[in-house]
Amino acid sequence: MLKRLSLFICIFFTFGLRLLAQNGYVEYIEKYKTMAVEQMHRHGVPASITMAQALLESGAGRSTLAVKANNHFGIKVGTGWTGPYMLKDDDERNERFRKYNDVAHSYEDHSLFLKRPRYASLFNLHRTDYKGWAKGLKAAGYATNPAYATRLIDLIERFDLARLDYMTPGESPRLVADVSGLAPTAVIGRSEMSVHRCNDNYYVIASDGDTYASISKAMDVSERKLRRYNEVSKHHQLMPGDVVFLEKKSKKVAKSLKGTFHIVRAGESLHSIAQTYGVRMKTLYKLNHLPKDYLPSIGASLKLR
């Protein structure tokens, strides 16, 4: 009995520590997310990447460097730095790390640090391509840890930091619970546009009066790209209730739908079905061996994966 009690206490204590750590990360995100979004619009570094690096490098603001030097990104003195510094053991003893007057200066310096030639290729990536950015940072030598990219991606996906890449600056972006449970709602200015997630892709639902141009402006994605992502022509007009993906749709539907079929209902087209599952139309054509001029009929069965 005593042995079981000891085991229970151990498990409870371990879980409690993990919960405290998780809460600390959430608090950090809420505290500095606006700063990360502002940096993204000022310098082009995805807010998700900035936040993930800050969480990882500073231990959610609890590291010695963060507490004593306001250094949230582990940036060393290097060349060109004329400001104060702090000594700390890292790869070698007594290495010099930059010291800032406040956290905002640390975030600004991080963005400027990434605008050096070494990281120039990263800015050719779309700001929503957090995986490409994470892998690019590791390849460019930002950190020596071989799992650095994986750890950044894990943080972004665990805390859904990709949502920050769709926010706008200047309005102190807040997140409110989305009743669908799929993703948060980005509150932009005085209007609200719920950003949902389907098949690992983000999308919004058009309301009355919405156009590709208005959604392009609200979500900071070019109208040309939005139309390409959603496989529509430049003349296609939105209808209330239409799904508008904010990034390229996946090549396959979710794994959970493997071996399932879609039964065509009245009013559906191959395009609307593809939008429903967040998959590219050519995937449905290929899976079902459909001719280019195929028009789905009511009751037809389409393989999804």
Side-chain angles (χ1 to χ4, degrees):
M1 181 68 180
L2 184 59
K3 187 175 182 180
R4 287 184 180 178
L5 181 60
S6 297
L7 179 61
F8 173 79
I9 292 173
C10 182
I11 293 173
F12 182 81
F13 181 72
T14 301
F15 178 78
L17 287 178
R18 289 179 180 175
L19 186 60
L20 284 173
Q22 178 104 343
N23 288 341
Y25 275 48
V26 171
E27 289 173 5
Y28 184 93
I29 293 166
E30 289 301 307
K31 185 174 183 179
Y32 295 113
K33 65 187 179 187
T34 301
M35 202 174 288
V37 170
E38 289 174 347
Q39 287 298 314
M40 174 176 67
H41 287 276
R42 188 180 304 158
H43 297 292
V45 181
S48 60
I49 287 292
T50 296
M51 183 58 68
Q53 285 195 280
L55 288 169
L56 184 58
E57 298 289 348
S58 75
R62 298 174 181 175
S63 70
T64 302
L65 279 176
V67 174
K68 295 185 176 182
N70 285 318
N71 188 332
H72 285 229
F73 298 92
I75 298 178
K76 297 178 182 179
V77 167
T79 57
W81 178 255
T82 58
Y85 61 86
M86 174 181 169
L87 297 178
K88 185 179 179 298
D89 294 346
D90 192 48
D91 295 326
E92 299 178 7
R93 284 181 56 80
N94 286 330
E95 292 197 76
R96 299 181 179 185
F97 288 84
R98 300 183 182 188
K99 187 174 183 179
Y100 307 101
N101 292 329
D102 50 48
V103 178
H105 190 186
S106 177
Y107 270 69
E108 175 74 9
D109 193 46
H110 168 259
S111 297
L112 297 176
F113 185 84
L114 292 186
K115 296 182 83 169
R116 298 189 305 170
R118 174 189 285 192
Y119 305 104
S121 63
L122 294 177
F123 292 87
N124 294 324
L125 300 173
H126 194 275
R127 78 180 190 203
T128 60
D129 184 9
Y130 63 84
K131 291 183 179 179
W133 271 83
K135 293 173 182 177
L137 283 169
K138 174 63 186 73
Y142 190 95
T144 57
N145 187 334
Y148 191 74
T150 301
R151 294 180 70 182
L152 289 181
I153 293 170
D154 177 65
L155 283 169
I156 291 171
E157 294 181 347
R158 188 191 314 170
F159 295 100
D160 198 17
L161 299 179
R163 67 197 184 195
L164 301 177
D165 298 334
Y166 295 95
M167 287 186 171
T168 57
E171 297 289 343
S172 298
R174 60 187 176 89
L175 296 177
V176 295
D178 182 352
V179 294
S180 70
L182 295 175
T185 297
V187 179
I188 304 170
R190 296 182 179 178
S191 63
E192 294 187 2
M193 180 165 282
S194 297
V195 180
H196 307 271
R197 206 171 184 185
C198 173
N199 199 18
D200 290 330
N201 298 315
Y202 289 97
Y203 71 92
V204 296
I205 299 175
S207 299
D208 188 29
D210 279 339
T211 64
Y212 277 103
S214 66
I215 293 176
S216 166
K217 184 177 180 180
M219 294 290 109
D220 196 21
V221 181
S222 76
E223 182 179 349
R224 180 177 59 83
K225 287 184 177 179
L226 279 182
R227 290 181 178 275
R228 188 172 77 245
Y229 296 159
N230 292 276
E231 302 177 280
V232 297
S233 71
K234 62 181 180 180
H235 303 296
H236 180 81
Q237 300 296 312
L238 282 175
M239 296 291 290
D242 281 352
V243 169
V244 181
F245 282 94
L246 306 176
E247 53 190 333
K248 287 182 181 178
K249 291 185 290 183
S250 301
K251 294 180 179 179
K252 297 180 180 180
V253 299
K255 290 181 180 179
S256 60
L257 296 177
K258 185 176 182 179
T260 61
F261 294 80
H262 177 86
I263 307 301
V264 179
R265 297 185 294 270
E268 287 188 320
S269 65
L270 203 66
H271 176 262
S272 68
I273 295 169
Q275 293 293 92
T276 297
Y277 295 100
V279 68
R280 301 176 195 180
M281 288 177 64
K282 66 180 181 181
T283 298
L284 296 180
Y285 276 107
K286 185 176 180 180
L287 273 175
N288 294 278
H289 308 289
L290 303 174
K292 291 183 179 180
D293 59 351
Y294 173 78
L295 292 175
S297 56
I298 297 174
S301 181
L302 295 176
K303 186 178 181 181
L304 296 176
R305 184 174 178 128

